[in-house]
Amino acid sequence: MIEEIIKIHDKYQFEIKFSYEPEENCRKTKYTSEIYIFIPKSIGLSRENYTKTQFYEDVKSYIRLKTPLILLRNLYGKNSPLQELERSIERLVESQNERNSSDFEYRIKMFCSILKSSLRDELIFLKNNINMKDIEKNISDFLENLKDLSREFRKLSKKIKVASMNQKYINLYNFADEYLSIISNESRHELFELLEKNDIKKRNSLIEELTEQAKEEIIYRKESNYPSIPSEEHDNEEIIFRKSALKKLMGRILFLHNITKSEGKLIEQLLFGLSAGIAMAFATSIAFMSRTRLGEFSLFFFLLMVIAYIFKDRMKEIMKIYFSNLVRKFFADKRTKIYTNLGQKIGIIRESFSIFSDEKISPEISKIRDRDFISGVHEGAYGEYVLFYRKDITLYSEKFKTVFPGFQINGINDITRVNIFRFLRNMDNPYKDVFIPKKNSYVRVSGSRVYHFNIIIKSIISTGKSKIQRIRLVLTREGIKRIEEVFSLKN
């Protein structure tokens, strides 16, 4: 199973999140993800001025394990992650050895990571089911569960904040507590916006309840001397910075260790050596034949040797280009081995990139690209270049069962972030004047000059199932304006 989510990350970056789940009862599961980015040639980008090196500079990939799925109400109580965390703290109080300290760090970071995902999933459910008859109860339960969870988590404070405890473990607990407070209030804010937009019978009372909870959280942070206090008078730099830092600290438990190497480099160097040898053999043979027939000190022999050297040098470079392209047909640009924190190898990712004219794409992709009349007129004079980025992923299915004790890991998330800043240089002014006639006059208004980058994502699993999406990225010279889904098909 492959899932893709494409969204805007910021003004100059969009990201595609691939979720890969290993097939059960299979030793290995293989996936292929192909990304086609259609860029109008009028942008001025081509193979001559946009290299593989530049592409990989513009693309960042983050690989991490999928967060275990646990409902918010199941995060605390009997046999819950919070109870396991409590037991971990009790063991840490008894003995602060390496095993207990590692277990505590693992438990508290997993708890925060699962909480973040649980809040996200619950909010998505509420947004998608806003017209259900029991929506009021679902929202009320969400707020109650969130408040109860915070209270139960903070009960652990008395257990860990004892005189014998190393300060670094108390600090880690405080960081988790602050992070819980920040993301909880963010969830309440999202819920507030949802209630504002929808006419629910008990909307006012629910809004009153959630804003009261949010205020209590801010008061709690002040009393705990946490710096992440929002303010109407300041730029709130501290809360933004700390939220980002705490998110990375807690989420690091799910990130995987990667070892990336260029693929086929040894063979490429051997072929380069062969090309140098062939070129040298050519020059040497010319020298032997010329010396035999013309002698060593004639002017013609001198000129012939200069010409032979020129041809030798060019022959070597031409063969290097040929052999390099040949190697790239059979080998990927990069090969990444994926390891867990415990050193278990759970997969391999192979990446390759190329750029070519839209005339060379397959009939299947060309049909999905399917230019309408206006885009055909707009791009017809120049055509498009296609940035083609491919990933081949192999996951060792059995290894996922033993990645984290006590939690079921269902796969990995591969987040590919693409920076489009380099593509904006040759775009027109982002604003154009538009004139609207009025009585005996005209009104000048501003119009937005946009460009369309079409993106096709094709995902294939080894069982034969596939999915194809077409996305439209709408840009101006100031950056990304919006993303639109045009087409989606599963087979």
Side-chain angles (χ1 to χ4, degrees):
M1 182 179 178
I2 307 177
E3 295 179 359
E4 309 92 20
I5 299 173
I6 182 167
K7 65 179 183 179
I8 297 173
H9 177 73
D10 59 34
K11 195 174 181 180
Y12 300 115
Q13 297 181 96
F14 70 92
E15 66 180 35
I16 306 172
K17 179 180 177 182
F18 293 97
S19 294
Y20 304 109
E21 295 183 4
E23 293 283 302
E24 294 183 6
N25 304 320
C26 293
R27 193 173 67 87
K28 292 182 181 180
T29 309
K30 294 185 178 181
Y31 305 89
T32 299
S33 295
E34 298 177 347
I35 302 175
Y36 300 81
I37 304 177
F38 292 79
I39 299 180
K41 290 183 179 178
S42 58
I43 296 297
L45 180 143
S46 67
R47 281 171 291 188
E48 285 70 35
N49 58 26
Y50 193 64
T51 63
K52 286 179 185 285
T53 301
Q54 290 173 317
F55 174 78
Y56 286 113
E57 287 173 357
D58 292 337
V59 172
K60 290 184 178 179
S61 291
Y62 305 90
I63 305 170
R64 63 176 179 82
L65 295 166
K66 291 184 72 174
T67 311
L69 298 174
I70 300 177
L71 294 174
L72 185 62
R73 64 174 179 266
N74 294 332
L75 276 173
Y76 62 102
K78 190 176 181 180
N79 298 322
S80 65
L82 188 60
Q83 189 179 65
E84 290 299 324
L85 175 59
E86 182 178 6
R87 291 170 181 163
S88 178
I89 291 173
E90 291 170 352
R91 290 192 293 269
L92 190 64
V93 171
E94 291 176 5
S95 174
Q96 297 176 45
N97 57 36
E98 184 178 351
R99 180 179 178 182
N100 290 340
S101 62
S102 297
D103 184 66
F104 167 70
E105 183 177 348
Y106 156 66
R107 295 284 175 187
I108 199 165
K109 289 182 178 180
M110 281 296 288
F111 174 80
C112 289
S113 298
I114 295 169
L115 172 61
K116 180 179 177 293
S117 293
S118 297
L119 292 174
R120 179 200 63 208
D121 294 341
E122 298 254 0
L123 285 168
I124 290 172
F125 173 78
L126 291 172
K127 289 174 183 178
N128 293 338
N129 296 277
I130 195 66
N131 295 318
M132 288 173 50
K133 293 180 180 178
D134 55 350
I135 187 63
E136 293 173 3
K137 184 179 185 308
N138 288 337
I139 293 175
S140 181
D141 288 346
F142 175 83
L143 292 172
E144 184 179 351
N145 288 331
L146 192 52
K147 188 174 182 178
D148 290 345
L149 177 66
S150 299
R151 183 182 64 250
E152 293 301 315
F153 179 83
R154 285 160 188 163
K155 284 182 181 179
L156 303 181
S157 174
K158 294 179 181 179
K159 293 194 173 187
I160 195 168
K161 294 180 180 180
V162 294
S164 61
M165 185 62 66
N166 190 313
Q167 186 61 40
K168 69 178 182 180
Y169 304 126
I170 297 174
N171 289 341
L172 183 56
Y173 172 83
N174 287 337
F175 288 147
D177 187 29
E178 184 181 4
Y179 184 59
L180 182 153
S181 180
I182 292 171
I183 62 175
S184 296
N185 264 8
E186 285 190 346
S187 298
R188 292 183 180 100
H189 174 249
E190 285 191 49
L191 195 55
F192 171 79
E193 290 186 331
L194 178 66
L195 290 168
E196 284 269 280
K197 295 175 184 177
N198 294 274
D199 187 18
I200 298 172
K201 188 176 179 181
K202 294 182 180 179
R203 181 175 65 181
N204 292 337
S205 62
L206 289 171
I207 287 176
E208 183 179 353
E209 181 181 352
L210 73 86
T211 51
E212 189 60 35
Q213 286 186 16
K215 290 176 184 177
E216 289 174 1
E217 280 297 323
I218 293 173
I219 292 170
Y220 173 78
R221 269 183 258 165
K222 286 180 180 178
E223 292 174 346
S224 302
N225 294 318
Y226 297 151
S228 51
I229 310 298
S231 170
E232 294 183 33
E233 290 78 27
H234 301 96
D235 63 1
N236 293 296
E237 172 188 312
E238 189 72 22
I239 187 172
I240 300 297
F241 175 80
R242 290 187 70 83
K243 181 208 165 184
S244 177
L246 293 171
K247 177 184 174 183
K248 290 172 183 172
L249 173 64
M250 299 305 163
R252 194 178 298 161
I253 192 72
L254 293 168
F255 278 81
L256 297 163
H257 297 296
N258 308 323
I259 298 176
T260 301
K261 294 182 179 179
S262 298
E263 196 173 67
K265 278 296 180 183
L266 177 60
I267 293 176
E268 188 177 53
Q269 291 303 317
L270 290 174
L271 290 173
F272 286 172
L274 177 62
S275 67
I278 293 172
M280 188 63 189
F282 166 78
T284 305
S285 63
I286 294 293
F288 282 155
M289 287 187 293
S290 302
R291 183 179 179 184
T292 303
R293 297 186 180 187
L294 303 174
E296 291 188 30
F297 302 106
S298 67
L299 178 62
F300 190 68
F301 174 76
F302 172 76
L303 293 174
L304 199 61
M305 287 304 299
V306 171
I307 293 171
Y309 178 80
I310 293 171
F311 272 94
K312 175 191 82 78
D313 191 54
R314 291 304 90 206
M315 183 184 297
K316 183 177 73 171
E317 293 303 316
I318 290 170
M319 283 192 291
K320 281 179 69 175
I321 293 171
Y322 172 77
F323 285 138
S324 181
N325 291 333
L326 186 65
V327 168
R328 294 278 70 83
K329 286 183 180 180
F330 296 98
F331 295 93
D333 299 329
K334 293 182 179 182
R335 181 185 178 92
T336 302
K337 296 178 181 179
I338 311 170
Y339 295 89
T340 66
N341 292 328
L342 300 176
Q344 294 174 293
K345 183 180 174 183
I346 62 170
I348 296 172
I349 295 180
R350 300 170 73 243
E351 302 170 71
S352 57
F353 167 78
S354 60
I355 178 170
F356 48 82
S357 176
D358 58 353
E359 300 162 358
K360 296 183 179 180
I361 60 174
S362 67
E364 177 193 30
I365 300 300
S366 180
K367 184 178 179 181
I368 294 167
R369 170 64 184 90
D370 188 30
R371 294 182 183 85
D372 56 25
F373 176 76
I374 192 66
S375 64
V377 170
H378 183 263
E379 295 150 4
Y382 301 101
E384 294 174 308
Y385 277 117
V386 182
L387 306 186
F388 176 59
Y389 180 47
R390 174 179 172 130
K391 283 189 176 183
D392 293 294
I393 301 95
T394 301
L395 298 182
Y396 303 126
S397 307
E398 289 295 321
K399 298 288 181 67
F400 281 83
K401 296 177 181 179
T402 57
V403 171
F404 284 130
F407 296 102
Q408 182 178 355
I409 302 296
N410 296 322
I412 65 170
N413 288 328
D414 178 12
I415 301 167
T416 301
R417 191 172 295 163
V418 182
N419 191 310
I420 52 86
F421 185 79
R422 208 187 296 264
F423 306 152
L424 307 179
R425 292 174 298 178
N426 295 325
M427 290 186 176
D428 285 349
N429 194 314
Y431 302 106
K432 300 283 186 179
D433 289 336
V434 176
F435 297 92
I436 301 174
K438 295 288 183 180
K439 186 178 181 180
N440 299 325
S441 67
Y442 279 87
V443 175
R444 186 198 302 263
V445 297
S446 179
S448 182
R449 172 68 167 98
V450 299
Y451 293 80
H452 291 174
F453 284 14
N454 284 273
I455 302 171
I456 293 175
I457 304 170
K458 183 178 180 181
S459 304
I460 309 163
I461 192 171
S462 52
T463 56
K465 295 179 182 178
S466 65
K467 180 182 178 182
I468 298 180
Q469 284 180 284
R470 178 183 159 198
I471 306 294
R472 183 181 294 121
L473 190 65
V474 182
L475 307 167
T476 73
R477 198 169 69 187
E478 293 182 335
I480 301 172
K481 190 171 184 179
R482 65 180 181 275
I483 288 178
E484 303 169 347
E485 183 173 356
V486 180
F487 175 88
S488 181
L489 175 67
K490 290 183 180 180
N491 291 324

